[in-house]
Amino acid sequence: MRSEFEKMLAGEVFNPLDLDLRLRREVARLACAKYNAHPSKGNLRHITRLLGSFEQLQIEPGFQCDYGSQIHCGKNVYINFACVLLDSAAIYIGDNVLLGPGVHLYTVDHPRDAQQRAEGICYAKEIRIGHQVWIGGGAKVLPGVTIGDRAIIAANAVVTRDVAEDERYFG
């Protein structure tokens, strides 16, 4: 029988209250807390050890993620203060990407049917962010969204659909 973690990675319905998933999130929370309490290059390793892959990135304090293992960053990625990356599915961030303060990337979603929500199930869809993208402060990117190269997302926008290359998205 497949674990809830395996179901989550496969994009299937999963139970986020599963003990293994809760323990994995706790590991990520503790790593983020260590870095956020004393931000330094040395303490950044607590977060980078979690990440699925990265080339070159800077993360400001206040960073939070669910697992970290589903986050993949290219070169010259800047993640500003208080960003939240909920990575129940993969998050791919291209080269030369700027995330403004308080940007949230949500891969996890819940059923629209109230009875299914009451059962505690959820699912996740990956987020893809191209190269040279700028996402303004406070923006929220919802599950399944792809943002094309060189796009600009306005501050406080809620991104509910794919954004084309070079597009300016105001939400």
Side-chain angles (χ1 to χ4, degrees):
M1 186 159 97
R2 293 170 42 150
S3 70
E4 296 301 310
F5 183 68
E6 291 168 328
K7 291 177 189 177
M8 182 185 78
L9 294 181
E12 299 172 4
V13 170
F14 66 95
N15 179 356
L17 300 179
D18 173 71
L19 178 61
D20 176 52
L21 291 179
R22 289 187 322 206
L23 292 173
R24 289 173 187 264
R25 287 192 303 271
E26 183 178 341
V27 167
R29 265 195 316 278
L30 291 173
C32 291
K34 287 178 185 175
Y35 173 69
N36 292 331
H38 302 285
S40 68
K41 286 186 179 182
N43 280 336
L44 182 59
R45 76 182 188 285
H46 296 295
I47 293 175
T48 57
R49 286 179 185 159
L50 298 173
L51 299 183
S53 64
F54 70 96
E55 291 190 50
Q56 177 188 3
L57 76 157
Q58 182 174 345
I59 300 175
E60 297 293 351
F63 178 80
Q64 297 293 320
C65 65
D66 269 343
Y67 305 98
S69 60
Q70 298 285 85
I71 299 170
H72 306 275
C73 298
K75 296 180 210 162
N76 198 30
V77 172
Y78 180 73
I79 300 175
N80 211 323
F81 293 95
C83 287
V84 176
L85 282 65
L86 300 185
D87 62 314
S88 293
I91 297 173
Y92 297 99
I93 301 174
D95 299 340
N96 302 305
V97 171
L98 304 171
L99 300 185
V103 166
H104 291 197
L105 307 179
Y106 303 143
T107 65
V108 68
D109 205 350
H110 304 279
R112 302 302 177 258
D113 178 74
Q115 179 58 40
Q116 289 180 318
R117 280 195 311 275
E119 293 169 12
I121 61 172
C122 60
Y123 55 91
K125 295 180 182 178
E126 74 180 25
I127 292 174
R128 291 186 170 270
I129 299 171
H131 303 299
Q132 299 175 335
V133 170
W134 176 21
I135 301 179
K140 311 289 188 273
V141 180
L142 299 187
V145 168
T146 296
I147 299 173
D149 294 346
R150 299 172 305 281
I152 297 175
I153 307 300
N156 292 315
V158 177
V159 186
T160 61
R161 62 162 176 85
D162 289 352
V163 177
E165 291 183 355
D166 300 303
E167 182 178 348
R168 302 320 187 239
Y169 182 92
F170 298 98

